[in-house]
Amino acid sequence: MKSALSANDTAAMNRAMEQLTQAQHRAAEALYRQAGAGAGGGAGAAGTGGGRAAGGGGAQGDVIDAEVVDEEKK
């Protein structure tokens, strides 16, 4: 990729970016498979109910929805 950048070769840059994108997709797919297997369900079960279980559980997640208010600007 660095050689394509230094040579200003857009075709080589596009090929390198495509390879990086494909590698990222393979890594994401593997992570999703691991997450589905760890939850006790397949990919279909994780895809349909996974978001609701994580967001609606309350005590299960550590995510807190908050808004930052700058008191000095009021």
Side-chain angles (χ1 to χ4, degrees):
M1 180 96 167
K2 287 184 181 182
S3 62
L5 286 172
S6 62
N8 203 22
D9 184 358
T10 52
M13 286 186 243
N14 287 334
R15 285 191 302 272
M17 285 301 295
E18 182 61 30
Q19 289 174 347
L20 287 171
T21 300
Q22 289 175 2
Q24 189 274 332
H25 287 185
R26 287 190 301 269
E29 182 181 349
L31 289 173
Y32 284 129
R33 269 194 247 126
Q34 287 177 354
T48 58
R52 186 175 40 209
Q60 289 180 333
D62 293 325
V63 178
I64 299 172
D65 188 17
E67 181 179 344
V68 176
V69 178
D70 190 359
E71 294 293 328
E72 294 178 11
K73 291 186 178 182
K74 282 187 172 182

